[in-house]
Each structure stands twice: as structure tokens, then as C-alpha cells.
């Protein structure tokens, strides 16, 4: 098999690395939630979608639900609000997973925007129905910021898996 110059083979992701990145994203999301600014991106949603696209058998709907419940408990939100949003987001990500992997990370960011918008709408509608709280206009920027962060997060999470196609004695990696 001949690979074009600059292409790299991806090794399977280490399950411990996946768990570490999800826990780190959850903690970062909790830290950003304490700031009180609602327009900040949902880092856990970005990392969850990334792993749903790249490792759908290891990160699925059950894990998305559990992470959403953990965030609901932390935010003292309606139990299941973030969980429902993450499950919808994960199911949509797994539905477009095969098509999405054909594109570069920048092109993927454009295609991920509707997923983040729909997940935000699910969360907003749930909040509106139950708590009668209209979302602030600045929250409309959150899905766009999440899509803008997609190439950066993707590059960071793919870095440990990349290997050169033809390693030799000089370049062991």
C-alpha cells in the first residue's frame, strides 16, 4: 500500500488516554462553569463528540449519559438536562461518523456546527420548559466557539496516535 507523503498511520487509541481526556474535559468544564459566563464553550461536549467519531465502540451513549449526569449534579441543574443534550449530541455524532472521517479537521469543524447547535437547542428548550428561563443572547456563540475549537482539540487528541508510515532506525516514531 502506497501512502501519500505527509500522511500518517493512526494507532488505536489507548483506553486510559480516552478516559483521562474525558475526565480532564469534565473537570475543565466544571471549572469553566464556576466562572458564571454562559458563553464559554462546552469542552466536554467537544471531547465527547471527538471520541464518538474516532472511537465509537469505546465511547458511546451510556458514557455520554453518565458524564451529563455528573455535570448536572455539579451545576445543580435539572437532573438529566445535560445528559439528554449529550446523548442527542453523541447519537448524531455517531450517525455521521463515517462521513466525517473523510475530511480534514478544519472541514469537519464546519460539519460539526449543526450538531452543537442542535444540542444547545435541546438544552435550551429543556431549560425553558422546566425552569421558564430564557437563554441569554451570548449563549448563541457557544456552538460556534465549540466548532472553532474542534481543529485544536482534534490535533491535541490525535497526536499520541500518530506514527510515521515508514519508520527507520533514525526515526523510531
Amino acid at each position: 500500500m502506497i501512502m501519500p507523503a505527509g500522511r500518517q498511520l493512526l494507532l488505536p487509541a489507548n483506553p486510559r488516554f480516552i478516559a483521562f481526556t474525558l475526565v480532564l474535559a469534565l473537570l475543565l468544564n466544571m471549572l469553566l462553569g464556576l466562572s458564571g459566563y454562559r458563553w464559554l464553550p462546552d469542552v466536554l461536549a467537544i471531547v465527547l463528540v471527538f471520541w464518538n467519531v474516532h472511537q465509537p465502540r469505546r465511547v458511546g451513549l451510556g458514557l455520554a449519559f453518565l458524564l451529563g449526569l455528573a455535570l448536572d449534579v455539579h451545576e445543580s441543574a435539572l437532573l438529566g438536562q445535560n445528559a439528554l443534550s449529550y446523548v442527542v449530541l453523541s447519537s448524531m455524532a455517531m450517525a455521521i461518523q463515517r462521513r466525517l472521517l473523510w475530511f480534514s479537521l478544519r472541514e469537519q469543524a464546519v460539519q460539526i456546527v449543526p450538531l452543537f447547535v442542535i444540542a444547545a437547542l435541546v438544552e435550551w428548550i429543556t431549560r425553558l420548559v422546566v425552569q421558564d428561563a430564557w437563554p441569554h443572547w451570548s449563549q448563541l456563540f457557544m456552538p460556534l466557539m465549540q466548532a472553532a475549537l474542534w481543529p485544536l482539540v482534534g490535533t491535541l487528541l490525535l497526536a499520541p496516535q500518530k506514527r510515521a508510515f515508514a519508520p527507520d532506525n533514525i526515526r523510531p516514531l
Side-chain angles (χ1 to χ4, degrees):
M1 174 184 222
I2 300 174
M3 295 269 301
R7 293 288 305 227
Q8 294 179 338
L9 294 175
L10 291 178
L11 297 172
N14 187 346
R16 285 181 275 158
F17 179 69
I18 294 172
F20 172 74
T21 57
L22 286 170
V23 169
L24 187 67
L26 177 66
L27 293 175
L28 185 61
N29 218 23
M30 289 178 175
L31 186 64
L32 291 175
L34 292 176
S35 69
Y37 298 116
R38 284 287 177 198
W39 53 269
L40 291 173
D42 189 353
V43 180
L44 181 59
I46 300 170
V47 174
L48 192 60
V49 168
F50 178 84
W51 288 123
N52 279 320
V53 168
H54 288 275
Q55 297 290 323
R57 292 186 177 176
R58 294 210 170 141
V59 179
L61 299 178
L63 186 59
F65 185 76
L66 290 176
L67 290 171
L69 284 180
L71 200 59
D72 286 333
V73 169
H74 171 72
E75 292 178 352
S76 298
L78 175 69
L79 194 62
Q81 176 180 338
N82 286 314
L84 175 65
S85 175
Y86 286 165
V87 167
V88 168
L89 183 65
S90 295
S91 64
M92 289 186 302
M94 287 189 279
I96 66 167
Q97 176 252 348
R98 289 183 183 229
R99 180 175 56 94
L100 201 62
L101 290 176
W102 282 93
F103 298 103
S104 68
L105 287 173
R106 287 186 183 190
E107 293 167 341
Q108 288 176 6
V110 175
Q111 297 182 18
I112 292 292
V113 171
L115 273 65
F116 289 135
V117 169
I118 291 171
L121 284 174
V122 166
E123 188 176 336
W124 294 339
I125 290 171
T126 307
R127 186 175 295 150
L128 184 64
V129 168
V130 176
Q131 297 175 348
D132 196 30
W134 190 256
H136 195 263
W137 65 270
S138 64
Q139 288 178 318
L140 298 174
F141 296 120
M142 186 174 63
L144 298 175
M145 289 179 58
Q146 289 171 334
L149 286 174
W150 179 263
L152 175 68
V153 171
T155 303
L156 290 174
L157 294 179
L158 283 177
Q161 301 171 42
K162 290 188 176 182
R163 292 287 176 140
F165 178 68
D168 54 19
N169 293 335
I170 299 173
R171 297 178 305 189
L173 296 177

